[in-house]
Amino acid sequence: KAINVRVIDDMAFYDCDSLDSVELGDALDTIGINAFTDCKSLTHIALKSVQQIGSMAFARCDNLRSVESNSVMSIGTGAFSHCKSLEFAYIPTVKQIGVGVFSDCSALRVVDMRGVSASWLKSKDVEFYHIFISCHNLEKLIVSSDEVAQNISKYMFDSRTVEEGLEIVVAR
């Protein structure tokens, strides 16, 4: 019998080295702080119904290559930080992103964050959030509008900027 879990508690799978895959049910709404931190064998995560990802939830998942979600609205501080193999983040519904969410994701190439609005980018000193610090291979950032593209701050990055070849694509 399937269990309809709505929340994965803080630190629930912390440091589960051998955890390589997780099937998350449709009832799951929230992933807690550090829930999967240091799950070094985890390679892919599909978040079917999750709306909120806690701070550091997937930090240091060294083999995580991709994350997909059509439901996530909020991602906490450093949620995917130090995921050295993370290449793709498909999170088009996300509205709020915490400080350093993708910091030190050196393999990260493409991020779809078209749910983020220009008004959110202009608020709360977001320009200093350092969302993409040490993402040296970031090639493409997909956003919702020209206004969002114009408000992408240089402070979100430390190395790749629009002038240095980062492509910002406006999804129509």
Side-chain angles (χ1 to χ4, degrees):
K1 179 180 174 185
I3 299 171
N4 287 325
V5 175
R6 294 187 52 77
V7 175
I8 294 178
D9 287 333
D10 297 352
M11 301 185 76
F13 297 97
Y14 184 90
D15 201 21
C16 288
D17 265 350
S18 61
L19 184 67
D20 60 359
S21 67
V22 178
E23 187 172 332
L24 303 172
D26 291 337
L28 186 63
D29 178 65
T30 303
I31 296 177
I33 297 168
N34 293 108
F36 292 93
T37 297
D38 288 322
C39 290
K40 305 223 184 277
S41 298
L42 193 61
T43 58
H44 172 79
I45 193 82
L47 307 168
K48 298 176 192 172
S49 61
V50 173
Q51 291 190 20
Q52 188 171 355
I53 299 174
S55 295
M56 305 295 286
F58 294 94
R60 297 187 305 271
C61 290
D62 291 344
N63 289 302
L64 185 63
R65 297 180 62 83
S66 63
V67 60
E68 295 177 64
S69 176
N70 279 316
S71 59
V72 169
M73 302 296 272
S74 174
I75 302 176
T77 297
F80 297 98
S81 62
H82 307 283
C83 291
K84 303 284 186 195
S85 299
L86 185 62
E87 293 182 51
F88 304 100
Y90 179 77
I91 47 172
T93 55
V94 71
K95 305 274 185 226
Q96 297 180 347
I97 300 175
V99 175
V101 166
F102 296 107
S103 66
D104 203 27
C105 292
S106 54
L108 190 61
R109 294 185 6 216
V110 179
V111 176
D112 183 336
M113 54 181 244
R114 66 183 89 181
V116 172
S117 70
S119 61
W120 184 79
L121 283 172
K122 294 176 185 178
S123 70
K124 302 186 285 182
D125 294 324
V126 171
E127 67 180 77
F128 298 107
Y129 269 33
H130 305 294
I131 294 167
F132 301 106
I133 292 295
S134 296
C135 295
H136 304 294
N137 291 304
L138 188 61
E139 298 169 0
K140 185 185 293 185
L141 191 58
I142 302 168
V143 299
S144 62
S145 69
D146 291 327
E147 186 179 10
V148 170
Q150 291 166 2
N151 283 285
I152 296 293
S153 169
K154 66 181 179 180
Y155 298 106
M156 291 179 164
F157 309 88
D158 70 341
S159 60
R160 301 279 295 173
T161 63
V162 176
E163 296 81 28
E164 295 168 338
L166 173 64
E167 181 183 10
I168 297 179
V169 176
V170 176
R172 304 262 182 222

